[in-house]
Amino acid sequence: MQLTLHTDYALRMLLYLALRAKGATISEIAERYNVSRNHLVKIAHALGKKGLIETTRGRAGGLHLAKPAAEINIGAVVRTMEPNFDIVECFDKKRNECVISSACELRRALYEAQRAFLTTLDRYTLADLTANSAQLGALLDKRPRTSARGTGRSRVNH
C-alpha cells in the first residue's frame, strides 16, 4: 500500500507544526522539506477545513495546530487525506470488472491487511511521532542544498 503524496505532505506539515509551537509559514515548511510550496498551499487548505490546523493571513500570519498534538490521531489523518483505499480494482464496487471477485480470497486478505495498516496508525498520535523533537528539529533546521521541487528556485547554504 502506498499513500498519496498529498497525505505524505500533510503528515509532514503536521509534524513540522507540532515541533514549532509558534507556528510556521507555508514557505518555511516548503523550504525545510524541499517540496513544492504550491502543493503545501492546497494541503494547508485541506487540513484547515478538517480542523487540524488554523491559518492566519497577513504579514504576521502563518499556520499552527488547531489542537494539541496528543489529540491528533495519525490513522484519522490518513483516512481524512486519502481519496480512497482502493488498492485493487475489486475494492471499487462501481468500477470493478474482475470476473473472480465474488469468489476471490485475495480481496479478503487485502482488506484484512488494509485494516491492520490503519489499526496500527490508529495507535499513534502526532505527539507520539514527535517524541524525539530535538532530533527532528535539528534535521529540519538544516537548510536544503538542492532546489526545492516545483519552485524553480535553488537553495544554497551560506
Side-chain angles (χ1 to χ4, degrees):
M1 179 166 187
Q2 182 174 351
L3 297 177
T4 61
L5 197 57
H6 192 77
T7 301
D8 177 16
Y9 286 2
L11 290 168
R12 288 199 233 176
M13 180 179 282
L14 291 171
L15 285 166
Y16 193 88
L17 294 173
L19 296 169
R20 304 292 194 249
K22 294 180 181 179
T25 65
I26 291 173
S27 294
E28 176 185 339
I29 297 168
E31 181 179 310
R32 295 299 187 215
Y33 283 123
N34 198 29
V35 299
S36 167
R37 183 186 182 287
N38 292 336
H39 282 23
L40 293 183
V41 168
K42 294 174 191 171
I43 291 162
H45 180 72
L47 290 172
K49 285 177 69 173
K50 301 297 182 185
L52 294 168
I53 67 169
E54 292 178 346
T55 61
T56 306
R57 293 181 178 249
R59 183 170 159 87
L63 313 171
H64 62 275
L65 295 178
K67 51 187 163 183
E71 294 178 18
I72 298 177
N73 180 273
I74 300 305
V77 172
V78 169
R79 283 182 188 87
T80 295
M81 299 306 291
E82 279 297 307
N84 67 61
F85 285 99
D86 296 340
I87 58 177
V88 289
E89 179 182 324
C90 60
F91 279 33
D92 183 348
K93 293 179 183 181
K94 292 180 183 175
R95 296 187 182 154
N96 180 24
E97 294 183 16
C98 181
V99 297
I100 64 168
S101 289
S102 63
C104 184
E105 291 299 314
L106 174 61
R107 180 171 67 173
R108 190 179 79 188
L110 291 173
Y111 270 126
E112 186 179 329
Q114 182 184 60
R115 279 193 310 273
F117 174 77
L118 291 169
T119 298
T120 299
L121 293 178
D122 286 339
R123 293 194 314 248
Y124 292 91
T125 67
L126 189 56
D128 296 326
L129 301 184
T130 57
N132 61 340
S133 60
Q135 261 184 307
L136 292 170
L139 291 168
L140 286 167
D141 286 339
K142 292 181 180 179
R143 295 178 66 104
R145 293 177 182 253
T146 60
S147 66
R149 281 182 242 141
T151 64
R153 297 180 308 217
S154 62
R155 306 273 187 231
V156 179
N157 280 347
H158 294 286

PDB file of all heavy atoms in Angstrom, residues 86 89-96 107 111:
ATOM      1  N   ASP A  86      -8.739   2.084  -2.451  1.00  0.00           N
ATOM      2  CA  ASP A  86      -8.969   1.054  -3.458  1.00  0.00           C
ATOM      3  C   ASP A  86      -7.619   0.553  -3.972  1.00  0.00           C
ATOM      4  O   ASP A  86      -7.149   0.954  -5.031  1.00  0.00           O
ATOM      5  CB  ASP A  86      -9.807   1.611  -4.617  1.00  0.00           C
ATOM      6  CG  ASP A  86     -11.195   2.023  -4.168  1.00  0.00           C
ATOM      7  OD1 ASP A  86     -11.642   1.562  -3.113  1.00  0.00           O
ATOM      8  OD2 ASP A  86     -11.826   2.815  -4.883  1.00  0.00           O
ATOM      9  N   GLU A  89      -8.607  -3.279  -7.991  1.00  0.00           N
ATOM     10  CA  GLU A  89      -9.832  -2.955  -8.727  1.00  0.00           C
ATOM     11  C   GLU A  89     -11.104  -3.356  -7.994  1.00  0.00           C
ATOM     12  O   GLU A  89     -12.084  -2.606  -7.956  1.00  0.00           O
ATOM     13  CB  GLU A  89      -9.795  -3.643 -10.095  1.00  0.00           C
ATOM     14  CG  GLU A  89     -11.015  -3.409 -10.947  1.00  0.00           C
ATOM     15  CD  GLU A  89     -10.934  -4.162 -12.270  1.00  0.00           C
ATOM     16  OE1 GLU A  89      -9.848  -4.278 -12.837  1.00  0.00           O
ATOM     17  OE2 GLU A  89     -11.994  -4.628 -12.715  1.00  0.00           O
ATOM     18  N   CYS A  90     -11.116  -4.517  -7.377  1.00  0.00           N
ATOM     19  CA  CYS A  90     -12.349  -5.014  -6.758  1.00  0.00           C
ATOM     20  C   CYS A  90     -12.766  -4.247  -5.505  1.00  0.00           C
ATOM     21  O   CYS A  90     -13.889  -4.404  -5.033  1.00  0.00           O
ATOM     22  CB  CYS A  90     -12.234  -6.508  -6.458  1.00  0.00           C
ATOM     23  SG  CYS A  90     -10.892  -6.940  -5.338  1.00  0.00           S
ATOM     24  N   PHE A  91     -11.908  -3.396  -4.984  1.00  0.00           N
ATOM     25  CA  PHE A  91     -12.280  -2.564  -3.841  1.00  0.00           C
ATOM     26  C   PHE A  91     -13.255  -1.462  -4.258  1.00  0.00           C
ATOM     27  O   PHE A  91     -13.959  -0.923  -3.434  1.00  0.00           O
ATOM     28  CB  PHE A  91     -11.047  -1.942  -3.196  1.00  0.00           C
ATOM     29  CG  PHE A  91     -10.300  -2.854  -2.247  1.00  0.00           C
ATOM     30  CD1 PHE A  91     -10.236  -4.219  -2.446  1.00  0.00           C
ATOM     31  CD2 PHE A  91      -9.654  -2.333  -1.154  1.00  0.00           C
ATOM     32  CE1 PHE A  91      -9.542  -5.050  -1.579  1.00  0.00           C
ATOM     33  CE2 PHE A  91      -8.949  -3.138  -0.272  1.00  0.00           C
ATOM     34  CZ  PHE A  91      -8.906  -4.512  -0.485  1.00  0.00           C
ATOM     35  N   ASP A  92     -13.266  -1.116  -5.530  1.00  0.00           N
ATOM     36  CA  ASP A  92     -14.153  -0.073  -6.053  1.00  0.00           C
ATOM     37  C   ASP A  92     -15.362  -0.752  -6.698  1.00  0.00           C
ATOM     38  O   ASP A  92     -15.301  -1.213  -7.833  1.00  0.00           O
ATOM     39  CB  ASP A  92     -13.414   0.798  -7.067  1.00  0.00           C
ATOM     40  CG  ASP A  92     -14.246   1.940  -7.593  1.00  0.00           C
ATOM     41  OD1 ASP A  92     -15.481   1.965  -7.371  1.00  0.00           O
ATOM     42  OD2 ASP A  92     -13.663   2.824  -8.244  1.00  0.00           O
ATOM     43  N   LYS A  93     -16.457  -0.820  -5.966  1.00  0.00           N
ATOM     44  CA  LYS A  93     -17.637  -1.552  -6.436  1.00  0.00           C
ATOM     45  C   LYS A  93     -18.196  -1.010  -7.745  1.00  0.00           C
ATOM     46  O   LYS A  93     -18.737  -1.763  -8.548  1.00  0.00           O
ATOM     47  CB  LYS A  93     -18.713  -1.554  -5.352  1.00  0.00           C
ATOM     48  CG  LYS A  93     -18.298  -2.348  -4.138  1.00  0.00           C
ATOM     49  CD  LYS A  93     -19.343  -2.330  -3.057  1.00  0.00           C
ATOM     50  CE  LYS A  93     -18.789  -3.100  -1.864  1.00  0.00           C
ATOM     51  NZ  LYS A  93     -19.684  -3.183  -0.771  1.00  0.00           N
ATOM     52  N   LYS A  94     -18.053   0.293  -7.986  1.00  0.00           N
ATOM     53  CA  LYS A  94     -18.593   0.893  -9.211  1.00  0.00           C
ATOM     54  C   LYS A  94     -17.764   0.546 -10.440  1.00  0.00           C
ATOM     55  O   LYS A  94     -18.286   0.443 -11.540  1.00  0.00           O
ATOM     56  CB  LYS A  94     -18.667   2.413  -9.069  1.00  0.00           C
ATOM     57  CG  LYS A  94     -19.695   2.880  -8.069  1.00  0.00           C
ATOM     58  CD  LYS A  94     -19.715   4.383  -7.966  1.00  0.00           C
ATOM     59  CE  LYS A  94     -20.691   4.840  -6.901  1.00  0.00           C
ATOM     60  NZ  LYS A  94     -20.639   6.280  -6.709  1.00  0.00           N
ATOM     61  N   ARG A  95     -16.463   0.387 -10.269  1.00  0.00           N
ATOM     62  CA  ARG A  95     -15.575   0.152 -11.414  1.00  0.00           C
ATOM     63  C   ARG A  95     -15.033  -1.273 -11.497  1.00  0.00           C
ATOM     64  O   ARG A  95     -14.268  -1.592 -12.392  1.00  0.00           O
ATOM     65  CB  ARG A  95     -14.408   1.128 -11.355  1.00  0.00           C
ATOM     66  CG  ARG A  95     -14.861   2.557 -11.503  1.00  0.00           C
ATOM     67  CD  ARG A  95     -13.702   3.484 -11.605  1.00  0.00           C
ATOM     68  NE  ARG A  95     -14.207   4.847 -11.700  1.00  0.00           N
ATOM     69  CZ  ARG A  95     -13.544   5.902 -11.336  1.00  0.00           C
ATOM     70  NH1 ARG A  95     -12.328   5.773 -10.850  1.00  0.00           N
ATOM     71  NH2 ARG A  95     -14.061   7.104 -11.450  1.00  0.00           N
ATOM     72  N   ASN A  96     -15.439  -2.107 -10.587  1.00  0.00           N
ATOM     73  CA  ASN A  96     -14.921  -3.465 -10.550  1.00  0.00           C
ATOM     74  C   ASN A  96     -15.436  -4.289 -11.728  1.00  0.00           C
ATOM     75  O   ASN A  96     -16.630  -4.454 -11.900  1.00  0.00           O
ATOM     76  CB  ASN A  96     -15.308  -4.142  -9.235  1.00  0.00           C
ATOM     77  CG  ASN A  96     -14.786  -5.552  -9.154  1.00  0.00           C
ATOM     78  OD1 ASN A  96     -13.820  -5.913  -9.810  1.00  0.00           O
ATOM     79  ND2 ASN A  96     -15.432  -6.355  -8.337  1.00  0.00           N
ATOM     80  N   ARG A 107      -8.965 -10.706  -2.239  1.00  0.00           N
ATOM     81  CA  ARG A 107      -9.654  -9.494  -1.805  1.00  0.00           C
ATOM     82  C   ARG A 107      -9.817  -9.483  -0.284  1.00  0.00           C
ATOM     83  O   ARG A 107      -9.554  -8.490   0.377  1.00  0.00           O
ATOM     84  CB  ARG A 107     -11.008  -9.369  -2.501  1.00  0.00           C
ATOM     85  CG  ARG A 107     -11.764  -8.117  -2.093  1.00  0.00           C
ATOM     86  CD  ARG A 107     -12.974  -7.877  -2.915  1.00  0.00           C
ATOM     87  NE  ARG A 107     -13.974  -8.908  -2.668  1.00  0.00           N
ATOM     88  CZ  ARG A 107     -15.188  -8.883  -3.153  1.00  0.00           C
ATOM     89  NH1 ARG A 107     -15.558  -7.894  -3.944  1.00  0.00           N
ATOM     90  NH2 ARG A 107     -16.044  -9.832  -2.889  1.00  0.00           N
ATOM     91  N   TYR A 111      -8.179  -6.764   2.249  1.00  0.00           N
ATOM     92  CA  TYR A 111      -8.997  -5.992   3.194  1.00  0.00           C
ATOM     93  C   TYR A 111      -8.428  -6.134   4.608  1.00  0.00           C
ATOM     94  O   TYR A 111      -8.323  -5.163   5.358  1.00  0.00           O
ATOM     95  CB  TYR A 111     -10.450  -6.471   3.200  1.00  0.00           C
ATOM     96  CG  TYR A 111     -11.361  -5.790   2.214  1.00  0.00           C
ATOM     97  CD1 TYR A 111     -12.101  -6.532   1.304  1.00  0.00           C
ATOM     98  CD2 TYR A 111     -11.522  -4.402   2.202  1.00  0.00           C
ATOM     99  CE1 TYR A 111     -12.955  -5.927   0.397  1.00  0.00           C
ATOM    100  CE2 TYR A 111     -12.369  -3.780   1.309  1.00  0.00           C
ATOM    101  CZ  TYR A 111     -13.086  -4.554   0.408  1.00  0.00           C
ATOM    102  OH  TYR A 111     -13.930  -3.945  -0.479  1.00  0.00           O
TER     103      TYR A 111
END
